């Protein structure tokens, strides 16, 4: 899923698992696959395990 426009235009399927980056067909944004995945996770409101200590 494109982290910029939200379109599901990314590579999918076994044949495309090796793709490191892709270009969104909708908005033309170039994405690194892993970075885009991280951005999508952030958009969903999940914090990374390395989020740090809570402020007391
Ligand atoms: Zn897009």
């Amino acid at each position: 899923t494109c982290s910029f426009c939200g379109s599901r235009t990314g590579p999918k399927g076994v044949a495309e698992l090796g793709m490191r980056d892709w270009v969104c067909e909708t908005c033309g944004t170039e994405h690194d696959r892993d970075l885009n995945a991280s951005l999508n996770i952030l958009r969903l409101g999940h914090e990374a395990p390395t989020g740090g200590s809570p402020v007391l």
Side-chain angles (χ1 to χ4, degrees):
T1 305
C2 175
S3 59
F4 186 78
C5 72
S7 295
R8 294 164 95 48
T9 59
K12 46 188 169 294
V14 177
E16 294 179 307
L17 284 176
M19 289 184 65
R20 293 299 303 167
D21 41 52
W22 51 278
V23 178
C24 176
E25 296 176 3
T26 302
C27 68
T29 302
E30 295 183 26
H31 297 287
D32 175 85
R33 196 165 64 101
D34 293 333
L35 175 60
N36 188 65
S38 299
L39 291 173
N40 283 334
I41 291 170
L42 289 174
R43 274 161 47 93
L44 291 174
H46 297 291
E47 293 190 17
T50 54
S53 305
V55 178
L56 298 176

